[in-house]
Amino acid sequence: MMNNNIFSIIEHQAFCEEDLKEIFKEKAGKFYEELENFAKNNENFLGFKNKNTLKAKNYVGIIQTKSGVLEILPKCTDLESYKEEKNSSNISQEKLIKAYDLSQINKTNQDDDFYEKDFKFNPKILLINMLKTLKNSPFKKSQISSLQSSKTPLLEVFIMMFLDEFDSVYKKGLMRSYVNSEENRAFLKGKLLFNEHIKSNLIHKERFFTSFDEFVLDIAPNRLIKSTLNFLKSKTTTNKFRIIKAMQILDEVEFSKNYEKDFSFKISRHFDYYENILSWCKIFLQNQSFAPYKGKNEAFALLFPMEKLFENYVAYMFKLANPSENVKAQSSGKYLISKNDEKCFMLKPDLYIENKMILDTKWKIPDDNEDEKKHGISQSDLYQMFAYACNFKINDIKLIYPLCKRTMELKNKIKELEFNASKHLAFLNNDGFLKTNIKVQVFFVPLPF
């Protein structure tokens, strides 16, 4: 997918210099070389398929170099069927939440008409909507619409989010603080510093060396905001005017000379609305994002691990749809092995409802062509579920995959897998031994298009 100086791919897609030529023309070689340099320092995010081919990993987001932007999108659909000028269809929030209701889970899993037949999938909108469900992230409060997301390059969407946050802070009131200033002035203001006054004004009797407190905008949080605006000014074309206008508002504010020191500034509760925009500043100025990268001078990257993003989104939705259930994320405390009183191999299911259910998320698109009997479900994933069941003594296990264009047919083939373990396994409860089968349900959850 191509747009201006942007080359779009999906997770795990490979590309070479030749693929860039249609859009980058004579700059294709330079852009590819810059991406190669990024990959050499950051093979976790962008790797080499072979000597002349790069390949995306399981991270989504953007990598911007001097020559262009690589946009990596979720693998929920084939890139050929993704048309940026079209919008995703909207699924009502009520219908989406109902799909995560544990009391309706079996019924919902067999709902063949959750998505309409002409439903349009847009992976960019999916990414933005999943980011909005993250805890303690600057994306949560974003009001960017799906229409804006679908028609705007991903980097510009992130910049728009930051600028919208700045507008919100400005409307609520920019923070000012009293700063002590000592200066030799032509008029008396504040407290006269007698010793300094004598030294400086023995001849110039008309001047006054004074100390006074000044109520100024030039404080640490505003310096960080202005520095972020200046950083983003060179990375955008669409939002350049908004950035210049915002910098004019902060005209009396200097740029930050020490990010670490300025980020240590303590904000009073009266200005807690600054917290979100400062989170954005940390992402842009200090690379404090989900995936810190190396080589800051070579490129700018904003990348997110899709497995973690999917896990967080599913946890958010199950908690929202089941308020009476104590859904715990990343519950731990169980170990697979105990040797010489030392425990090892911690078992940490993604979601856990105590004494009731374990749910583990898998950001995978099972390949039904690999083995028709297995439906593309990984054998190692099932072994992992069996280990959870044995150690947590829970027989209700849900294996969660994304419901999207590439899994809609598969979900109708997979109803339930069951370990026939009652002959070999007994759970101990208060009444003695309880023999039971371990039921593993493969469940496809809808995504927030």
Side-chain angles (χ1 to χ4, degrees):
M1 180 62 62
M2 296 167 289
N3 181 20
N4 299 328
N5 64 334
I6 299 168
F7 187 74
S8 296
I9 59 175
I10 58 174
E11 292 171 85
H12 305 292
Q13 182 177 334
F15 65 97
C16 61
E17 182 181 332
E18 189 66 28
D19 297 321
L20 303 176
K21 287 184 177 179
E22 184 179 348
I23 180 170
F24 289 94
K25 305 293 190 293
E26 68 279 359
K27 292 184 178 180
K30 180 64 176 173
F31 182 43
Y32 188 80
E33 182 183 349
E34 290 166 353
L35 291 175
E36 276 189 320
N37 290 334
F38 180 87
K40 287 172 184 175
N41 292 321
N42 301 277
E43 284 202 57
N44 287 337
F45 309 138
L46 185 64
F48 291 85
K49 183 178 181 181
N50 56 47
K51 184 179 179 181
N52 300 311
T53 307
L54 290 168
K55 186 177 181 181
K57 296 293 184 75
N58 58 321
Y59 285 80
V60 295
I62 61 101
I63 301 171
Q64 185 187 49
T65 70
K66 292 180 179 179
S67 303
V69 177
L70 178 67
E71 196 173 75
I72 307 171
L73 300 169
K75 62 187 177 187
C76 55
T77 184
D78 295 319
L79 196 64
E80 289 74 19
S81 65
Y82 161 51
K83 300 297 183 183
E84 192 173 5
E85 63 272 11
K86 293 182 180 179
N87 303 321
S88 290
S89 303
N90 289 320
I91 297 296
S92 71
Q93 183 75 354
E94 182 181 354
K95 187 175 182 180
L96 197 61
I97 293 173
K98 186 179 178 183
Y100 289 81
D101 186 343
L102 290 170
S103 65
Q104 302 291 322
I105 199 167
N106 292 323
K107 179 181 177 182
T108 306
N109 200 28
Q110 297 175 5
D111 185 358
D112 296 334
D113 300 319
F114 186 88
Y115 294 128
E116 298 172 3
K117 290 183 180 180
D118 61 345
F119 189 87
K120 299 181 183 69
F121 290 83
N122 188 310
K124 191 185 300 182
I125 293 175
L126 164 68
L127 175 58
I128 297 300
N129 287 341
M130 290 179 83
L131 288 171
K132 288 180 181 179
T133 65
L134 291 177
K135 280 184 179 180
N136 305 319
S137 81
F139 306 97
K140 198 170 182 68
K141 296 181 181 179
S142 173
Q143 300 300 313
I144 297 290
S145 68
S146 293
L147 180 62
Q148 287 174 296
S149 299
S150 66
K151 295 183 178 296
T152 308
L154 199 52
L155 177 57
E156 297 290 358
V157 172
F158 294 142
I159 293 174
M160 285 166 58
M161 287 180 174
F162 174 78
L163 291 171
D164 287 348
E165 191 63 35
F166 175 78
D167 289 343
S168 174
V169 168
Y170 177 64
K171 287 175 184 176
K172 292 175 181 176
L174 291 173
M175 193 190 315
R176 291 176 178 267
S177 184
Y178 284 102
V179 176
N180 184 262
S181 176
E182 296 181 359
E183 193 174 337
N184 201 18
R185 293 180 174 271
F187 55 90
L188 182 61
K189 181 178 181 179
K191 179 182 177 182
L192 182 67
L193 299 178
F194 190 75
N195 290 337
E196 287 77 3
H197 175 68
I198 295 296
K199 292 176 185 177
S200 303
N201 298 322
L202 192 60
I203 299 174
H204 299 283
K205 304 292 186 182
E206 76 284 0
R207 302 190 69 83
F208 303 90
F209 203 105
T210 62
S211 171
F212 60 95
D213 290 331
E214 194 171 6
F215 200 46
V216 298
L217 271 177
D218 189 18
I219 58 174
N222 294 333
R223 288 195 292 270
L224 292 167
I225 293 171
K226 188 170 182 178
S227 295
T228 306
L229 289 165
N230 190 55
F231 171 78
L232 295 174
K233 188 171 65 171
S234 63
K235 302 192 176 302
T236 179
T237 52
T238 306
N239 292 291
K240 187 160 288 188
F241 177 75
R242 285 186 68 188
I243 289 177
I244 292 172
K245 187 177 178 182
M247 290 182 71
Q248 288 173 344
I249 292 172
L250 298 174
D251 187 53
E252 66 183 82
V253 178
E254 299 292 329
F255 294 118
S256 176
K257 294 182 176 64
N258 187 328
Y259 295 158
E260 188 173 347
K261 180 181 177 182
D262 284 348
F263 275 120
S264 67
F265 184 93
K266 300 296 182 184
I267 296 176
S268 70
R269 60 183 178 84
H270 300 293
F271 292 97
D272 56 3
Y273 54 83
Y274 259 74
E275 290 179 2
N276 213 47
I277 195 168
L278 290 177
S279 294
W280 274 113
C281 293
K282 286 180 179 179
I283 288 174
F284 289 124
L285 297 180
Q286 290 191 319
N287 185 29
Q288 289 193 15
S289 61
F290 276 71
Y293 59 94
K294 297 177 183 178
K296 295 182 182 180
N297 295 328
E298 299 172 2
F300 167 71
L302 190 52
L303 298 163
F304 307 88
M306 269 308 303
E307 284 91 348
K308 194 68 180 175
L309 200 55
F310 181 57
E311 176 191 319
N312 275 276
Y313 167 72
V314 171
Y316 171 86
M317 291 302 296
F318 272 117
K319 288 177 181 180
L320 187 66
N322 305 277
S324 61
E325 298 283 3
N326 184 18
V327 181
K328 298 178 181 178
Q330 286 286 304
S331 180
S332 61
K334 304 288 184 180
Y335 291 83
L336 192 59
I337 294 174
S338 179
K339 184 178 180 181
N340 299 327
D341 295 326
E342 291 186 7
K343 297 178 179 179
C344 56
F345 298 107
M346 179 185 285
L347 296 171
K348 206 169 185 179
D350 297 332
L351 297 170
Y352 172 60
I353 301 176
E354 193 167 0
N355 301 323
K356 187 174 182 180
M357 187 183 299
I358 286 175
L359 306 100
D360 218 56
T361 59
K362 304 295 178 185
W363 178 252
K364 298 178 181 178
I365 308 296
D367 187 354
D368 197 25
N369 296 321
E370 288 184 1
D371 190 327
E372 193 172 338
K373 289 186 296 184
K374 296 179 181 178
H375 301 293
I377 304 299
S378 168
Q379 187 165 307
S380 61
D381 288 344
L382 290 179
Y383 286 165
Q384 184 183 29
M385 298 304 101
F386 186 72
Y388 287 157
C390 292
N391 281 271
F392 284 84
K393 295 182 172 58
I394 290 178
N395 70 320
D396 191 359
I397 309 289
K398 299 284 189 289
L399 197 55
I400 308 293
Y401 288 90
L403 175 60
C404 60
K405 188 173 183 179
R406 294 169 64 183
T407 58
M408 286 175 68
E409 291 184 11
L410 185 59
K411 80 178 180 69
N412 296 318
K413 298 179 183 179
I414 304 175
K415 299 303 179 185
E416 190 174 287
L417 301 175
E418 186 169 305
F419 290 113
N420 296 316
S422 58
K423 294 180 180 179
H424 313 286
L425 180 72
F427 289 160
L428 184 65
N429 65 6
N430 295 332
D431 301 320
F433 288 97
L434 174 66
K435 289 191 174 183
T436 181
N437 282 346
I438 298 175
K439 182 176 67 175
V440 178
Q441 183 183 13
V442 179
F443 182 57
F444 294 87
V445 294
L447 301 172
F449 289 97

